Amino acid sequence: MSLQRLTARLSSLALYPTRSPLTASVSRYSTAAPAKIDLSNLSDNPGSKSQRLRVGRGQGSGKGNTAARGHKGQKARSGNRGQPKPGFEGGQTRIIDRLPKRGFKNPEHKEYQPLNLDRLQFWIESGRIDPTQPITMKHLLDTRCIHKIQDGVKLLGDGKDHFKTPITIEVSRASKSAIKAIEACGGKITSVYYNEMGLRVLTKPEKYEELPRFARPIKKKDIAFYSDKANRGYLAGKAEVVGMDH
């Protein structure tokens, strides 16, 4: 029996099914939708990850015996991850310990964002701030009159001679010249205490499903400042301070 007849005979028996080139090309470029991607078939791209180097697993691996650390020495010892910690000087006193230290960082220090009256007047004249509505630190931040709120906003008196708009504004602190200039125009200024979370609630209320209550000042100097009428504190004239909210 010739080879052609044998091939035809085997094909008729369907013992060795064959694929035509047309069928193979159709299956290769099939337009069928791919399977749904989920955690069961999610994987990294081929070659994007490599296995870590396992040392000390016998000489047949090429990284056995001394585990690629060499013979003896400080870098061959265990426990120091191959090298000493930064600043280590072989046992002698480190230079960071030999140098004298001066000063300290005050844990009570606060960074207030300064805002001058001339800039505030320019924002009002350009229509970015509505002077008929109460102005809070959120309005100042949203209109980019200030670019950040660290621990609050302090209103300063630069440009007080050109300030002429009566406004109602609420800030963390204000200088005496700024208070005098605003009240001379018929405006009102109030100094209000906000802690870190209170500032976040004020500037980003959309982050909360239910707005938390604003905290009251608990330090004696903060209570004294915001209870002083000269500072236009919001607690001035209120007899009860403990348990009071904004």
Side-chain angles (χ1 to χ4, degrees):
M1 182 180 294
S2 63
L3 182 59
Q4 294 180 352
R5 294 180 61 187
L6 178 61
T7 304
R9 179 62 176 170
L10 293 177
S11 300
S12 63
L13 295 176
L15 296 177
Y16 302 96
T18 59
R19 297 175 60 189
S20 64
L22 180 61
T23 305
S25 62
V26 170
S27 62
R28 181 182 303 177
Y29 302 103
S30 176
T31 59
K36 183 180 179 181
I37 298 178
D38 55 19
L39 294 178
S40 64
N41 56 18
L42 199 62
S43 62
D44 294 307
N45 295 328
S48 62
K49 298 190 66 176
S50 58
Q51 293 183 347
R52 69 180 183 87
L53 181 65
R54 302 175 73 245
V55 297
R57 300 301 191 272
Q59 294 186 4
S61 64
K63 299 294 181 181
N65 195 11
T66 57
R69 287 174 176 252
H71 292 280
K72 300 184 179 179
Q74 185 180 33
K75 295 184 178 180
R77 307 305 179 186
S78 63
N80 61 359
R81 297 182 180 271
Q83 60 183 1
K85 294 181 180 180
F88 181 70
E89 300 182 14
Q92 72 178 14
T93 305
R94 302 181 303 166
I95 188 172
I96 190 63
D97 297 328
R98 298 197 301 268
L99 293 176
K101 311 297 188 299
R102 296 289 185 269
F104 73 105
K105 184 176 181 181
N106 187 3
E108 304 296 330
H109 176 71
K110 291 187 177 181
E111 288 285 345
Y112 291 104
Q113 186 69 18
L115 175 61
N116 288 298
L117 290 177
D118 54 357
R119 183 177 178 87
L120 181 59
Q121 180 65 39
F122 178 75
W123 248 245
I124 293 174
E125 292 177 352
S126 60
R128 305 181 193 182
I129 294 179
D130 186 5
T132 62
Q133 301 295 327
I135 302 173
T136 64
M137 290 184 286
K138 175 175 173 56
H139 296 106
L140 298 175
L141 184 63
D142 291 344
T143 58
R144 309 308 291 165
C145 189
I146 57 176
H147 295 281
K148 59 182 177 179
I149 295 181
Q150 294 165 301
D151 295 316
V153 177
K154 184 171 183 179
L155 193 62
L156 303 178
D158 286 0
K160 59 184 178 181
D161 297 333
H162 306 287
F163 193 82
K164 56 183 181 298
T165 306
I167 59 172
T168 301
I169 188 170
E170 176 186 290
V171 290
S172 299
R173 300 198 174 197
S175 64
K176 293 182 179 179
S177 60
I179 294 174
K180 185 177 179 180
I182 289 179
E183 293 181 346
C185 299
K188 180 182 179 181
I189 182 171
T190 307
S191 298
V192 182
Y193 170 81
Y194 288 99
N195 60 1
E196 184 177 354
M197 184 175 181
L199 288 173
R200 180 174 173 83
V201 174
L202 176 67
T203 57
K204 298 180 179 179
E206 67 277 2
K207 298 288 186 180
Y208 301 88
E209 295 182 1
E210 181 179 355
L211 293 180
R213 300 170 66 184
F214 292 102
R216 63 182 185 274
I218 57 177
K219 295 181 180 179
K220 291 183 178 180
K221 64 176 185 178
D222 290 334
I223 295 176
F225 181 87
Y226 291 102
S227 300
D228 191 352
K229 187 177 180 180
N231 299 325
R232 303 303 185 265
Y234 73 111
L235 298 179
K238 296 182 180 179
E240 185 67 23
V241 175
V242 179
M244 183 182 298
D245 296 311
H246 289 188

